[in-house]
Every structure is written in C-alpha cells, then in structure tokens.
Amino acid sequence: QYFDTASAGRESLELLLSTYGAEQVVFGTDHPVLGGEAVRAAVQALGEGVVELVAGRNPARALNRNGGL
C-alpha cells in the first residue's frame, strides 16, 4: 500500500511519514490542477533521505523496477 504526496503540505507530509513511514510514500502531484512546486518543496524540506525514497526507490519498487532517481 502506497500513499502519494499530491496536494500535501509539510505538516500533512510529516503526519503521513510518522504514521506510515517513508517507505510507503511516493511522490505525486495534482498537476495540472495544482502546481507541483509546493509539493516538491515540502518533500525536499524533509531531507535527502526522504527525497530518495519518495521520488526514487518507492516508485521503482511500486512499479517493480530496479531503479532509482
């Protein structure tokens, strides 16, 4: 089970991560309905380790691929 970051601010992301862990979160936006810049900034503010999981490893795992960023 994965959760995406679409439309989430920093506080929402912190709650999501503390509840389910960064391993269950994938990067997503509601583009073009909402711009992705705010979501990207909120994820980046949580640190490089979270970015690596959310934007790289987790989507690759969800798609059953051996990729990274």
Side-chain angles (χ1 to χ4, degrees):
Q1 180 176 8
Y2 292 95
F3 303 91
D4 71 40
T5 61
S7 303
R10 184 169 178 162
E11 290 179 4
S12 298
L13 289 173
E14 288 173 348
L15 179 60
L16 179 63
L17 294 174
S18 68
T19 303
Y20 295 101
E23 295 79 14
Q24 300 308 122
V25 180
V26 295
F27 184 78
T29 68
D30 280 336
H31 183 78
V33 176
L34 300 172
E37 292 303 316
V39 175
R40 182 185 332 201
V43 171
Q44 288 175 327
L46 296 171
E48 187 59 38
V50 171
V51 171
E52 185 176 330
L53 284 171
V54 171
R57 291 182 186 177
N58 295 346
R61 191 172 69 239
L63 295 172
N64 207 13
R65 302 184 185 226
N66 295 325
L69 291 175

